[in-house]
Structures are given as structure tokens and as C-alpha cells.
Amino acid sequence: MHKKQTFWRGVAYAFLLATLVAMLSACGATAPPPAEPSANDAPAADEAADTASADTESADTESAESSSDDAMASDTSAQESPMLAEMVAAGELPPLDERLPVNPVVVEVIEELGTYGGTWDMAVTGQADANGATSYSHEPWVIYDDTCSEWKPNLAEAVEISDDGKTFTFTIREGHKWSDGEPFTTEDIMFWYEGIAMNPEVSPSPPNILMAGGEPAVIEAIDDYTFSVTFAEPNGLFLPDLAFVFGDNIQTYPAHYLKQFHADYADADALAALVEEGGFEDWVQLISAKLDANVATNPDMPTLRAWKLTDIGPPWIFERNPYYYKVDTAGRQLPYIDQWRLQAVEDGQMVTLKAIAGELSYQARSVSFTDLPLYMQNQDQGDYRVIKAPTEHPLGLTIFPNQNYAGDDEFMKGLLEDIRFRKALNLAIDRDELNELIYLGENGDVADAFPLLADEPELFAHLTYDPDAAKALLDEIGLETDSNGMRLNPDGDPIVLSLDVFSGQSYMDGSQLVASYWEEIGLQTSLEEISYDLWWPRIDSFEYPMTAYVKDSIGGLARYVYLRSYAPVSSSSYWGPAWGTWYQSGGTEGTEPPADSPARKAQELFDEAKVTVDSARQLEILAEIERLDLENVWEVLTVGTGSNIKIVKNNFRNVPDVNYCVLYDSDAWAEQYFIAQ
């Protein structure tokens, strides 16, 4: 059976490659050489993207800065971009020392000090993808190192933590300015806190980032550059939450821009006119729309990021922020690149075509690992390099048997709750073969994602390939077989496992292969691909027996910010959604786990971690949670983490060959990228 599957996967890949070749030929590009069949799709690479070329082919799309004098563009002694120097000379901008904060962030470059100028081109598939791409310019208050064990200030100049772990005092850099030159001060923080976060008209409940001990934190402005956040109880996970790229945040909203849309600050008549002009029912709808506007949708919103939106796409154009607060080690203002341009394409396949044709100078969004042979074969033609950056997140295909199954099949409910059954499902899987066929042999072992438990190999025993042991467990449960070796339910009918699979070719291919392994131990599987819009209603119903997606695996202390795969603390804890809903809702919804159950113990450990400010103890608690996860075989795990694929033009420099903790599908280095002249 596996040989047949391999054959058909080879046919599918050959067909895809032939299609790409034909499309390339139609575009006038040289066809790539034949490729060895790739097994099949791997999960789409996590987001990360840059692209640029100072000598873009189309003259009408060249940025103004690309036409600057070559000598000026390559002069690394200049302290700012030539385009900004020209604006200063023309009286359109204040000099650099008036635009930088007193104590700017000094960035250690990866390769070398860069040269100014050029356009970073990148491909996106539409507005939603453009919104996601802006995570590359995210500016968190603090960031973690690549081990996820140490944090350092980023947007904040300093953060002080009280001895009791309840109060966090932040210092804003003196002289830090928004992209329009207005000061960034505690007035902006207090506008968010008083006018947005704690205003019941705008926010029905305070954001999670402010909650601890059942009460919202109190934020106070100490002076123009210092503010404190005080919680009702110690908050040991506050800083990891702030560092997480997609987590809640102490928002940085430009008060001077947004006050015109808020009833507590704006002139009533002027605000009424804005409400009517925008077609809103009231001012709450108006300001909510402004707050919901992504940095890729509102060019009027001042920003603290390296680039600011100037044109809504396609293409989406971002110009350098002349007041950006970071410099390189020579004191030269960043970013190096003048313009960031997001080109629109129809789909991921067109991204691939543009990448191998050399039209994108750094692309990782919509770059699939399954096309690695194609990318490798076209490096010389496209004048790019392929970076395989090891990633800590996520693990490969994961099956989640639902411990809270709410369907009407009591027999299936009993099987899902039986640890012997879950162990059998794991023991039946040939992980080496699955890695080769689904992930091109590039993913690591599951155990690598549990470094805190490296000295406890017995916890991973159920992840070995032993179909005979799997059959013995099913026999022990009492599952009889028919003449074909298929396991029977109490009615004498073959057992059919229902598996909901998150939409995506890689998930379906991997699940089909897993189903073939389970068939060899006598279990049939019925797969259903679930689209994104139907996914959450299905999860929230608790009525799925099993679902297939991936297991989160962010490392170190950052694992706490996305703990759902290890403890039932969220409605999206797929193996225990009712328990997770109960925890997340504070007991108002879902189902409480039994008091003495491992699931409840995991929740209690998470509670302890939240009020623990000692990092060493937090890691000990995390190890206990992970141990419960493995001991109770809450998931069917296949392979560990793999790598992101980055297609990078050879003249696009300072791109790292690793991924960054917490910012796994963002980027901590974008401001230092440059285009070699």
C-alpha cells in the first residue's frame, strides 16, 4: 500500500512540476530541469518575508531613492538615507539628531553594515495576506533571545519588576517620535488604557493582557516617559505575553491622531461630522473601525515601525519611517532599505513562479517545503540562495483524540478516553517513512521539542514504530477482528474512525498516510477536510472524535503563551476543548475536569506558573505540564519541527539562517536588511 501511495505522490508532484514548467515557459522563463519526485505537500512555511532589488526591471516602479547617485547610495559613512538627507536639505525634515531618541536602540548586524536605498519586494495573495505580512515589522515592548530564556527591552528603554512581581515599570525613550514627528509619550499609553481598554463603550471587557487575579491591572503615568502597570497578584507571564507577536499587548496608539474620533476628547460637532461622513451609527463604531484598521490598511495612522504605509494595494507601498528609533553599531539610522513593496499575486503557485524567476529578493510567505527541489534547481537562474532556517514551531502533523467527545457514539467515546487505544494509534505509525514522504526527510524527532525532558526517554516510548504492540493493546481492550483483520464494534460492524482534517494538502496527505498505518492494525478511518470557516464551529461543538492539525511547540518560557497543546487552557485545546473552554471562561462555560485528573492538574500548574516570577521555577512547572502531556498520550504525534524555506536574492543581505523565539512567523531583523550595491 505504501509503495502505491508513493507512486501516486510522485505522479502528483510530476504533474505539478510540469504545470510550473509550462507556466514558466509561457512567461518567457527558462524551464527548470527535471526533478526527483517529492513525496507530497508539507505544511506551508511559516511567515517571514523580504524581497528587494535596487535595479528593478520596470522603470515605472523604481522608487525615487533607487535613482539616487550610486556613490551616495553606497557610502556607508552617511548617517541616514540619502532620500532623508535630501529632505533635510530642503527643509522638509529636521536633522537626524532631532529625529532620533536620546538613547536609540543599537542593532548588532548579522553580516555587515549595510548600504542605504532600494526597494524590498515581496509577494502576497491579497489584503489579508498583506495584513499578515506586516508582522515582520512588529515592534514589541520586549523581545526574547533565540533560546527563549532571556528577554531584553526593545520598544521600551527599560522595564523594572517589583520584588513581589506585581508592578512593572516601563521607560519610554526620551525623544522617541511617531512617524509624523509627534512625541511618543505616556499620553499615548494612557489614551489606550483609559479611552480604549477600560472604556466599556469601546471595550466590553478589559483585554486579557491586563487581567490577573480576576482584576484588571492599574496603569499610571509617572511622567512623560515612565508608566507603571500594577496587577492584583504576581504576573510571571506578563513579559512573555508582551513579547509574543500575535498576543495581547499594551497597545501603542497615537493619541494625537485617534483623539479626534473619541467622544471623550474630540469636539462634539467635529466628531458628529466624521461619524456621518464615514457612514457610522455612532462614534464608537467610528473609532472601532480606526482601531481595527491594520497597518496595511490605514495610511493616515502614524506608526513606530520601520516603514509606514503610503499606498493601499495592490501593490502595498511602505516608505521608511524618518523617525525610526534604531541605529546600527556605527550610529547610522535604520532601516537601510527605503521602500517595502508588497506585490499582489493570485495564489501560492504564482509566488513560487516569481521566486524562481528571481523577481523576489526575500520570500518565505507562501513558500512550501514541497517545492524545495524546484527552488534548489533554479538558484543560478534566479540569482538567489535558499535558506533552510530551523524553526521551533510547529511540530508536524498531529492527531488529537477528543477527550471531551460530545457525540452520540458512547462506544467511540470510551475508546477515545482509553489510554491504551491512544497508545496503539501512536505505535502504529512509521514516523521515518512519514517524514520522508510528507516532509522530504527534513523534520526532526518529536523528542527534540521537549528539551526539558531529554533525560526521560521512557516518556517517548509510545512514539516508536511497533504495530505488533499496537495490535496487542487493541486485543487487550477487547476489540475483536473479522476475517479481514478489521476491528469490530459491539454491533459486529467494522470500527470506522472519523477524522476531521484542517484544510490543506499537506494535512490531508499526512492524514491519509496515517490512516493507512491504522488500517494495518485493523482500524478504518474516514477523513473529512474541514475548511477554515467551518473549523471553529466544529471545534466549539465538541462533537468531533478526532481532528488533525499541528501541535504548537514554541520553546522555553515562551511556550506558556501558547500552552493549549500541552494543557487544556483554551477552547482550542483540541484534545480537551470542553475542559479548555471551562478554564478559559473562568468556569462559566464548558466542562470542569475531574478534581483529581491529570487535565485539572495541568490547569493548576499553569495557574502556579502565572504567579511565579522565578524563571527557573517556571521552567520546572513547564516540565511538569509537558510530562503530563506525554504520560497521558493526549495526542498522536508524528514528527518534530522542520525548517522554514527562505528564497533570498544574492544581493539581499543580513538575512539570518535561524528563526527567532516568539517571533517565529515574524522577523526580528528586518530593519537591518540591505541591498548590496
Side-chain angles (χ1 to χ4, degrees):
M1 178 175 291
H2 302 334
K3 290 182 179 178
K4 289 182 180 179
Q5 288 177 329
T6 303
F7 169 77
W8 284 112
R9 285 185 172 82
V11 170
Y13 182 81
F15 176 76
L16 172 62
L17 182 57
T19 303
L20 288 171
V21 170
M23 294 178 71
L24 278 170
S25 298
C27 295
T30 304
E36 289 296 321
S38 148
N40 55 33
D41 254 347
D46 283 321
E47 303 172 5
D50 284 281
T51 30
S53 174
D55 51 346
T56 309
E57 290 183 5
S58 302
D60 60 342
T61 57
E62 285 190 34
S63 64
E65 55 273 24
S66 295
S67 62
S68 298
D69 181 80
D70 288 342
M72 196 172 183
S74 60
D75 181 7
T76 58
S77 66
Q79 296 301 104
E80 62 183 330
S81 167
M83 67 173 288
L84 297 184
E86 292 173 2
M87 295 175 69
V88 172
E92 299 171 2
L93 271 181
L96 179 61
D97 61 355
E98 295 179 20
R99 303 198 313 268
L100 287 173
V102 173
N103 184 25
V105 173
V106 178
V107 175
E108 296 281 347
V109 295
I110 292 171
E111 294 179 293
E112 60 181 305
L113 298 177
T115 54
Y116 287 118
T119 297
W120 159 14
D121 274 312
M122 176 178 163
V124 295
T125 57
Q127 182 66 63
D129 199 19
N131 294 346
T134 60
S135 65
Y136 297 114
S137 60
H138 181 61
E139 294 289 345
W141 287 98
V142 298
I143 57 176
Y144 272 81
D145 63 11
D146 55 4
T147 70
C148 285
S149 60
E150 298 291 339
W151 63 268
K152 65 179 180 180
N154 182 60
L155 185 61
E157 181 175 14
V159 181
E160 295 181 4
I161 307 172
S162 64
D163 292 340
D164 62 6
K166 294 181 180 180
T167 299
F168 298 77
T169 303
F170 291 77
T171 301
I172 296 174
R173 299 171 193 278
E174 182 180 352
H176 196 163
K177 296 180 173 63
W178 292 94
S179 56
D180 60 357
E182 290 295 317
F184 170 46
T185 68
T186 53
E187 179 183 358
D188 300 300
I189 307 305
M190 297 310 295
F191 168 78
W192 168 76
Y193 175 66
E194 297 173 342
I196 306 299
M198 300 302 293
N199 186 315
E201 290 187 86
V202 183
S203 303
S205 59
N208 288 335
I209 193 71
L210 291 180
M211 299 303 296
E215 300 179 23
V218 175
I219 297 183
E220 295 180 304
I222 298 172
D223 55 38
D224 286 346
Y225 299 106
T226 313
F227 67 95
S228 63
V229 183
T230 302
F231 296 92
E233 65 181 15
N235 193 341
L237 301 180
F238 180 49
L239 293 183
D241 284 337
L242 285 183
F244 185 45
V245 65
F246 292 130
D248 286 328
N249 209 343
I250 299 296
Q251 295 290 350
T252 49
Y253 286 143
H256 67 282
Y257 167 73
L258 289 171
K259 282 183 176 180
Q260 63 181 309
F261 310 115
H262 198 297
D264 291 350
Y265 306 92
D267 174 79
D269 292 336
L271 180 58
L274 290 173
V275 170
E276 181 178 0
E277 179 184 337
F280 298 101
E281 293 183 5
D282 53 32
W283 74 270
V284 175
Q285 281 193 358
L286 170 63
I287 196 166
S288 296
K290 296 297 181 181
L291 296 176
D292 289 341
N294 188 277
V295 293
T297 60
N298 185 5
D300 295 329
M301 179 89 85
T303 185
L304 300 173
R305 300 184 180 211
W307 297 273
K308 182 188 179 300
L309 179 71
T310 57
D311 296 281
I312 300 175
W316 291 262
I317 304 295
F318 298 78
E319 299 285 353
R320 66 161 55 254
N321 175 1
Y323 295 89
Y324 191 58
Y325 68 108
K326 295 182 181 180
V327 298
D328 64 20
T329 52
R332 302 165 64 239
Q333 187 186 33
L334 298 171
Y336 292 128
I337 293 174
D338 287 334
Q339 184 185 87
W340 179 25
R341 179 169 54 205
L342 306 182
Q343 304 177 15
V345 297
E346 292 181 4
D347 51 33
Q349 188 178 75
M350 290 305 299
V351 173
T352 299
L353 290 173
K354 278 186 167 290
I356 64 177
E359 298 177 14
L360 306 174
S361 51
Y362 175 5
Q363 185 76 23
R365 295 180 68 84
S366 301
V367 173
S368 176
F369 213 107
T370 192
D371 290 328
L372 179 59
L374 189 64
Y375 295 130
M376 298 299 292
Q377 291 158 6
N378 285 274
Q379 288 185 96
D380 291 340
Q381 171 190 305
D383 189 28
Y384 61 78
R385 61 196 186 276
V386 177
I387 295 177
K388 293 191 293 184
T391 181
E392 62 178 8
H393 173 85
L395 293 180
L397 179 73
T398 304
I399 312 295
F400 300 91
N402 185 3
Q403 304 301 288
N404 304 143
Y405 172 60
D408 55 8
D409 188 338
E410 289 299 320
F411 170 72
M412 181 57 61
K413 179 177 175 62
L415 280 183
L416 296 170
E417 293 175 352
D418 193 323
I419 191 173
R420 296 171 297 176
F421 182 71
R422 302 196 298 273
K423 284 184 177 180
L425 296 182
N426 273 281
L427 289 166
I429 296 174
D430 185 343
R431 289 170 175 78
D432 290 337
E433 182 181 63
L434 186 145
N435 193 14
E436 289 296 329
L437 294 181
I438 306 301
Y439 300 104
L440 308 183
E442 294 282 348
N443 281 46
D445 294 331
V446 171
D448 295 340
F450 293 83
L452 298 176
L453 305 176
D455 296 332
E456 303 178 55
E458 66 278 5
L459 293 172
F460 306 94
H462 62 284
L463 302 181
T464 57
Y465 178 47
D466 193 343
D468 290 336
K471 292 177 183 178
L473 285 171
L474 298 182
D475 290 339
E476 183 180 321
I477 294 172
L479 301 182
E480 298 181 354
T481 60
D482 62 15
S483 58
N484 295 318
M486 305 311 295
R487 302 285 171 168
L488 304 176
N489 64 27
D491 295 331
D493 297 322
I495 295 172
V496 179
L497 305 177
S498 177
L499 179 60
D500 291 348
V501 183
F502 187 77
S503 180
Q505 191 61 48
S506 61
Y507 303 127
M508 283 300 294
D509 284 344
S511 297
Q512 287 168 355
L513 185 55
V514 167
S516 73
Y517 296 139
W518 289 348
E519 187 171 355
E520 292 182 357
I521 62 171
L523 296 170
Q524 296 183 42
T525 307
S526 174
L527 280 67
E528 182 178 359
E529 186 171 11
I530 307 296
S531 63
Y532 184 83
D533 58 339
L534 298 178
W535 179 257
W536 292 117
R538 181 68 169 156
I539 299 301
D540 292 340
S541 75
F542 312 149
E543 294 180 354
Y544 58 93
M546 295 191 294
T547 193
Y549 186 46
V550 291
K551 182 178 177 69
D552 308 301
S553 56
I554 305 172
L557 292 176
R559 184 160 290 181
Y560 279 118
V561 306
Y562 225 40
L563 198 66
R564 65 178 188 178
S565 289
Y566 301 85
V569 296
S570 166
S571 59
S572 60
S573 292
Y574 300 122
W575 54 265
W579 293 334
T581 298
W582 176 84
Y583 183 88
Q584 186 178 34
S585 68
T588 61
E589 301 176 57
T591 304
E592 181 179 5
D596 58 349
S597 67
R600 184 69 186 111
K601 175 63 174 176
Q603 293 174 342
E604 292 169 345
L605 286 167
F606 188 35
D607 288 337
E608 181 183 350
K610 290 178 181 178
V611 298
T612 300
V613 294
D614 185 307
S615 297
R617 175 55 188 154
Q618 285 181 320
L619 288 175
E620 291 175 356
I621 296 170
L622 183 59
E624 293 183 57
I625 294 174
E626 294 176 350
R627 190 176 295 109
L628 286 171
D629 178 26
L630 293 169
E631 286 176 343
N632 291 279
V633 193
W634 279 325
E635 305 100 350
V636 179
L637 302 172
T638 61
V639 296
T641 60
S643 298
N644 288 346
I645 296 297
K646 303 179 181 183
I647 311 303
V648 187
K649 290 287 285 187
N650 287 323
N651 68 341
F652 199 92
R653 309 310 305 180
N654 280 350
V655 178
D657 58 3
V658 298
N659 286 293
Y660 206 69
C661 172
V662 185
L663 298 172
Y664 61 90
D665 46 9
S666 181
D667 212 316
W669 308 272
E671 68 275 354
Q672 68 171 267
Y673 297 154
F674 75 96
I675 302 166
Q677 304 295 324

